[in-house]
Amino acid sequence: MHPAPSAKGTVPFGEYRTWYRVTGDLNSGKPALVVVHGGPGSTHDYLLSLSRFAASGWPVVHYDQLGNGGSTHLPEKGADFWTPRLFLDQLDALLRELGIADNYVLFGQSWGGLLATQHAAARPSGLRGLVVANSPASYPLWLQEMKVLRDQLPPGVNEVLLRHEAAGTTDSPEYEAALMPFYEKHVCRIKPWPRDFLASIMELNNDPTVYSVMNGPSEFHVIGTLRDWGVVDSCPDVSVPTLLISGRHDEATPVTVQPYADLIPDVRWEILEESSHMPHLEEPERFNEVMETFLHGLL
């Protein structure tokens, strides 16, 4: 069970609403740990275990990005609306509305790591540290490495995937079934999948607008608006201490993470040996240890 929230609700983001959840005391004196989830188009649920850091005095803020979960859904909006800038502006608005823009740490997971890096590159005065977890530095790098991982799938699997991708039938049950060997090896290696992870998958399936527009039909068939996007050029502008986290079996392979390590000035990188894309669920004790060490070092 996760700790009960100390507050939750929605705050305005222009004409829309952002759902948030706070665990702990935002006035504790320690920076708030703001959790930026992946997708794009997922929800906060699969990262709820990070609420445990409230027990060490770090107030933890989860929120749902626009278009999913408890935040405003906009299924009628098209590709010109769903941009990285939209989600950066939503994050800025959340920090202001919660009164934590002068003292916070960002934790960005997967797509959330790219967002958090772009935010950090603007050098906001209240940012104390950055955690980039399981994140590629660019989608062109991601696609390059997806081909490597796909070629390692069991015989025949990639052929099924390629056939449906070429035909535009990625909504077929056969395509969905063929995805599973990849997801079980490179996304989450726990069987059965944890309830928090399943909750986010269900939310994404309930409204796939953001994921389908920005990403595409699957993790490794990125044909959406993000296909040419990345934050490699922003990495040198990150001026706060930065922790990189990835899993040895991660779909975000070392090649996709390397630019962060090469270009962010104050950076350390921890690879969790028994994890793929969800180390906080797959190796929670080691993950928590790495996080606690990093957070303590920010004080």
Side-chain angles (χ1 to χ4, degrees), residues 9-293:
T10 65
V11 292
F13 169 45
E15 59 188 296
Y16 312 119
R17 305 293 297 184
T18 296
W19 181 93
Y20 73 92
R21 177 192 199 274
V22 178
T23 311
D25 181 6
L26 290 179
N27 299 310
S28 69
K30 286 186 176 180
L33 178 63
V34 180
V35 181
V36 186
H37 67 69
S42 186
T43 61
H44 75 285
D45 300 84
Y46 76 100
L47 291 165
L48 268 175
S49 63
L50 272 73
S51 60
R52 70 168 300 281
F53 295 109
S56 301
W58 302 88
V60 180
V61 177
H62 288 85
Y63 74 103
D64 286 335
Q65 292 164 26
L66 200 65
N68 292 89
S71 293
T72 305
H73 288 237
L74 297 156
E76 73 282 1
K77 296 291 188 181
D80 59 337
F81 180 81
W82 301 109
T83 64
R85 172 46 55 191
L86 173 76
F87 294 101
L88 289 166
D89 290 346
Q90 183 190 18
L91 174 57
D92 287 341
L94 176 74
L95 297 172
R96 289 194 305 270
E97 292 291 338
L98 294 182
I100 55 175
D102 61 346
N103 195 27
Y104 64 102
V105 176
L106 278 188
F107 176 98
Q109 201 274 341
S110 196
W111 138 263
L114 288 93
L115 269 187
T117 300
Q118 191 79 9
H119 174 95
R123 301 191 175 182
S125 60
L127 182 64
R128 304 289 176 247
L130 172 67
V131 182
V132 177
N134 319 103
S135 302
S138 79
Y139 282 92
L141 272 177
W142 175 268
L143 285 168
Q144 169 191 312
E145 286 296 285
M146 284 300 113
K147 183 180 187 311
V148 174
L149 297 180
R150 287 171 66 136
D151 288 344
Q152 298 170 1
L153 289 170
V157 173
N158 199 26
E159 287 75 9
V160 172
L161 297 171
L162 289 169
R163 186 174 75 249
H164 284 288
E165 288 162 6
T169 52
T170 53
D171 56 350
S172 76
E174 185 182 36
Y175 185 81
E176 293 289 330
L179 292 174
M180 290 310 295
F182 180 91
Y183 280 68
E184 290 174 350
K185 184 176 182 181
H186 298 299
V187 178
C188 185
R189 295 167 71 87
I190 302 172
K191 293 183 181 180
W193 281 346
R195 185 171 61 178
D196 291 351
F197 183 41
L198 289 172
S200 281
I201 291 175
M202 289 175 63
E203 288 280 3
L204 190 154
N205 289 338
N206 285 340
D207 187 349
T209 303
V210 179
Y211 188 81
S212 61
V213 168
M214 298 185 76
N215 186 89
S218 70
E219 296 293 283
F220 42 72
H221 192 44
V222 181
I223 55 175
T225 57
L226 291 178
R227 61 187 177 274
D228 298 319
W229 188 68
V231 295
V232 174
D233 291 344
S234 298
C235 288
D237 294 324
V238 175
S239 60
V240 294
T242 301
L243 170 65
L244 305 177
I245 298 176
S246 59
R248 180 61 67 190
H249 310 282
D250 207 326
E251 59 179 345
T253 66
V255 170
T256 72
V257 179
Q258 194 66 48
Y260 295 115
D262 291 342
L263 298 172
I264 295 177
D266 182 359
V267 66
R268 55 175 289 200
W269 185 1
E270 294 280 352
I271 299 177
L272 278 70
E273 295 296 330
E274 303 302 322
S275 295
S276 58
H277 201 54
M278 304 280 165
H280 61 285
L281 298 175
E282 295 166 291
E283 285 184 82
E285 291 184 5
R286 177 65 183 141
F287 173 86
N288 293 340
E289 176 189 340
V290 168
M291 282 288 294
E292 289 278 9
T293 299

